[in-house]
Amino acid sequence: EAGVAQSPRYKIIEKRQSVAFWCNPISGHATLYWYQQILGQGPKLLIQFQNNGVVDDSQLPKDRFSAERLKGVDSTLKIQPAKLEDSAVYLCASSLGRDDSPLHFGNGTRLTVT
Amino acid sequence: GQNIDQPTEMTATEGAIVQINCTYQTSGFNGLFWYQQHAGEAPTFLSYNVLDGLEEKGRFSSFLSRSKGYSYLLLKELQMKDSASYLCAVRPTGTASKLTFGTGTRLQVTL
């Protein structure tokens, strides 16, 4: 099966600029996650979707971050305006949503904010 | 909330056995996962435990003790390609399947 697709692979922007990331999950996976992974740390959940509805966005900095999954398949994550501390890898993952279902991750987008 | 602890770094010799420990505190528990992450790559799923005991999968095994809030990942017959970070992740109850990750253990395999 095709894996989770993400683009772009790398992005460099200046602080206060905006940026958007795209994710296409594994076909049939209703649950989609965006994680932020800062160098040397484990992934931290930003937002979780079940189909096109938000399940958990408690750790999403909503003053600058937004995400959508309009048709319950692809998703975009946006940062506006970016800060230096947003430099990280943004990982998209999907799963079947069962208790025993692992998360399958995409290769991520490495964001550098200068 | 959840608290997950793992050693930051470990070093082991090719061909040896290494055990990576993970302790966790969580308000509810619905499974523990181990992931492998090579530098610059995405995490890949290794194992899942929800009941006490040992799960074996080839050279990798994972153990869980729910009463102690403890798990370990055992890697046998180490190979150079096993040099990576190993992430312990907990699925709390009532969370609709999300995972909370530890900071990871960076394993270096030497000759």
Side-chain angles (χ1 to χ4, degrees), chain B residues 35-98:
Chain B
Y35 280 78
Q36 180 190 61
Q37 186 175 28
H38 285 100
E41 298 183 12
T44 55
F45 169 68
L46 288 177
S47 69
Y48 165 70
N49 295 72
V50 67
L51 300 176
D52 286 358
L54 189 69
E55 294 283 342
E56 297 186 77
K57 194 184 293 186
R59 294 190 299 115
F60 292 7
S61 303
S62 57
F63 172 83
L64 175 66
S65 169
R66 294 179 62 151
S67 62
K68 296 181 179 177
Y70 169 69
S71 173
Y72 67 72
L73 180 69
L74 194 70
L75 290 74
K76 303 175 186 176
E77 301 170 16
L78 279 173
Q79 302 175 11
M80 298 298 290
K81 67 178 182 179
D82 297 329
S83 293
S85 287
Y86 291 86
L87 299 163
C88 173
V90 170
R91 175 164 281 157
T93 52
T95 58
S97 83
K98 78 176 182 184

Side-chain angles (χ1 to χ4, degrees), chain A residues 28-104:
Chain A
H29 282 192
T31 311
L32 184 147
Y33 317 77
W34 284 101
Y35 280 82
Q36 179 193 58
Q37 187 173 26
I38 293 172
L39 188 64
Q41 299 182 18
K44 183 185 88 169
L45 181 71
L46 293 175
I47 189 167
Q48 176 184 345
F49 292 94
Q50 180 74 17
N51 296 310
N52 60 352
V54 175
V55 174
D56 184 346
D57 63 356
S58 58
Q59 297 192 83
L60 187 73
K62 298 180 186 63
D63 58 334
R64 299 184 300 106
F65 286 64
S66 64
E68 59 183 14
R69 194 184 184 198
L70 291 176
K71 297 183 179 179
V73 181
D74 293 7
S75 177
T76 56
L77 175 69
K78 296 179 182 178
I79 308 175
Q80 182 180 13
K83 292 185 175 181
L84 295 176
E85 59 259 37
D86 298 332
S87 294
V89 176
Y90 291 84
L91 294 164
C92 179
S94 69
S95 82
L96 290 171
R98 298 194 311 253
D99 287 344
D100 60 348
S101 301
L103 273 59
H104 299 271

